[in-house]
Amino acid sequence: MKALVLSGGAGTRLRPITHTSAKQLVPVANKAVLFYGLESIADAGITDVGVIVGDTAAEIQDAVGDGTRFGLDITYIPQERPLGLAHAVLIARDYLGDDDFVMYLGDNFIVGGIADLVDEFRDNRPDAQILLTRVEDPRSFGVAELDDLGQVIGLEEKPAHPKSDLALVGVYLFTPLIHDAVRAIEPSWRGELEITHALQHLIDSRADVRCTVIKGYWKDTGNVADMLEVNRTVLEGLARRIDGDVDDASETVGRVVVEEGARIVNSRIVGPAVVGAGTVVEDSYVGPFTSIAENCRITDSELEFSIVLHDASIDGVGRIESSLIGRHVQVTPAPSVPSAHRLVLGDHSKVQIHT
């Protein structure tokens, strides 16, 4: 069995971070989201992985390499531009051959991994198996309709009037039959080859398409709010570890990780939180659910429920929360502005000014 990992999207909902960085490499608890997916694939016993890459191919390849660090054998498959999930299957045909495969969206996060799902698929080997989860607003997702027996009878992509609250999670398992389906469909109104259309083609052809409704945690980390929420979830499982230097004037409370080479000076860190290698936190407060990457400097500031990417500097700005701060960013106080009023008043005016 092989895996197909999609890492070619533009990440428009995470701009401006993704103007200069691949969305799949934005870190959660100081580890790229994509890495969690690759580790899940390896844990499921799959070693051959094709990675779909686009404009950020060089950055993805530099970060992932040949896959050895994950116990994987990585092959990169270029996609000229994102034309839909089914298009990714289409261009990976030669690599996938006649093998079964799992398709994993590189910006998705699933607590607990996919090993059980892969085992279930191997045991039963339906033509396709999809993951579903209940969401509050299904209009932003592919949506499944089930019959009274829990069988999939219909799929729609981002419907205006959803027939259920069951959204497709970004993990799919297929036999080679899917290759006929992706060749049979036409682009949608969005100009993309939709995987929901390919799955519907299988259903209409009376193929065996099964579903698993997951009750655990899943997030599409496509926007800042979801990135922060995933960061919170991962940090909640943190084990306390202090490898860096914490001076006597500082305090670390709860599940705090201070990596080797980091320094905490006259500061308070309240977990769960992680401070990366080479980072200096001085005269500051770092609150729960905060990840600070390597080689950052936090001085005379407060930071909570945030993600700070590597080589960023935050100096003397008071309190920051619910924020995603990019690489090499500098956050400093604005220059003070003299208090003054500029007036153009007509004759006989009467003006009251609060001082």
Side-chain angles (χ1 to χ4, degrees):
M1 192 171 186
K2 291 177 178 174
L4 185 66
V5 177
L6 275 59
S7 297
T12 55
R13 291 178 294 160
L14 273 174
R15 288 177 179 167
I17 296 293
T18 50
H19 279 309
T20 54
S21 178
K23 66 176 180 176
Q24 298 84 7
L25 297 181
V26 176
V28 168
N30 285 2
K31 182 165 67 176
V33 171
L34 175 61
F35 292 0
Y36 289 98
L38 294 175
E39 289 169 355
S40 292
I41 289 167
D43 289 343
I46 299 171
T47 56
D48 294 330
V49 180
V51 178
I52 301 289
V53 289
D55 292 341
T56 59
E59 188 181 9
I60 296 288
Q61 290 179 241
D62 184 59
V64 176
D66 63 2
T68 301
R69 62 184 290 194
F70 305 100
L72 302 174
D73 182 7
I74 300 287
T75 298
Y76 293 98
I77 303 168
Q79 186 180 35
E80 184 176 341
R81 58 192 178 95
L83 292 172
L85 305 188
H87 181 260
V89 176
L90 190 67
I91 64 173
R93 179 68 177 93
D94 289 343
Y95 171 77
L96 294 169
D98 292 326
D99 293 313
D100 296 346
F101 67 97
V102 55
M103 183 168 73
Y104 196 114
L105 274 60
D107 59 353
N108 274 224
F109 186 88
I110 300 174
V111 170
I114 61 170
D116 290 344
L117 176 73
V118 171
D119 288 343
E120 180 184 348
F121 181 81
R122 283 171 166 153
D123 290 343
N124 300 315
R125 204 168 178 267
D127 297 310
Q129 187 163 347
I130 58 177
L131 259 67
L132 304 174
T133 191
R134 298 191 183 279
V135 296
E136 291 185 5
D137 185 4
R139 291 174 298 176
S140 299
F141 303 92
V143 176
E145 181 185 3
L146 308 184
D147 63 17
D148 293 339
L149 299 176
Q151 299 298 310
V152 185
I153 58 174
L155 294 158
E156 294 181 282
E157 186 64 32
K158 296 180 174 62
H161 304 287
K163 296 178 181 178
S164 80
D165 61 352
L166 291 169
L168 276 78
V169 175
V171 177
Y172 309 78
L173 294 109
F174 296 116
T175 66
L177 192 61
I178 190 64
H179 297 299
D180 295 332
V182 298
R183 286 196 300 268
I185 61 175
E186 298 291 334
S188 67
W189 61 271
R190 301 193 303 166
E192 297 186 1
L193 290 176
E194 311 285 2
I195 199 66
T196 47
H197 292 179
L199 286 162
Q200 187 65 53
H201 178 84
L202 291 178
I203 293 169
D204 294 343
S205 303
R206 300 189 180 280
D208 184 7
V209 178
R210 301 185 189 180
C211 67
T212 299
V213 180
I214 64 171
K215 297 178 181 176
Y217 186 85
W218 163 79
K219 276 289 184 183
D220 168 8
T221 59
N223 60 50
V224 173
D226 286 340
M227 285 294 308
L228 293 173
E229 189 58 40
V230 171
N231 192 61
R232 176 203 290 268
T233 299
V234 175
L235 289 178
E236 284 177 341
L238 207 63
R240 180 179 173 87
R241 177 167 52 84
I242 308 296
D243 293 335
D245 180 48
V246 179
D247 74 359
D248 293 339
S250 298
E251 181 184 20
T252 59
V253 181
R255 291 166 291 169
V256 173
V257 170
V258 180
E259 299 287 1
E260 185 176 357
R263 292 194 299 120
I264 312 299
V265 181
N266 192 35
S267 297
R268 189 167 191 258
I269 316 293
V270 178
V274 57
V275 179
T279 286
V280 177
V281 179
E282 186 171 4
D283 299 326
S284 295
Y285 165 79
V286 175
F289 309 116
T290 300
S291 298
I292 305 173
E294 65 274 13
N295 301 320
C296 295
R297 188 170 187 92
I298 314 297
T299 308
D300 191 24
S301 300
E302 296 184 2
L303 190 63
E304 189 166 307
F305 190 49
S306 294
I307 299 172
V308 181
L309 277 61
H310 66 77
D311 294 285
S313 171
I314 300 172
D315 185 6
V317 296
R319 186 175 181 84
I320 292 174
E321 60 183 30
S322 304
S323 299
L324 175 57
I325 296 172
R327 303 172 297 177
H328 301 280
V329 165
Q330 295 182 3
V331 183
T332 58
S336 60
V337 179
S339 177
H341 304 284
R342 182 174 183 269
L343 305 174
V344 178
L345 302 175
D347 296 344
H348 309 291
S349 297
K350 182 178 180 180
V351 178
Q352 293 180 324
I353 296 177
H354 289 285
T355 59

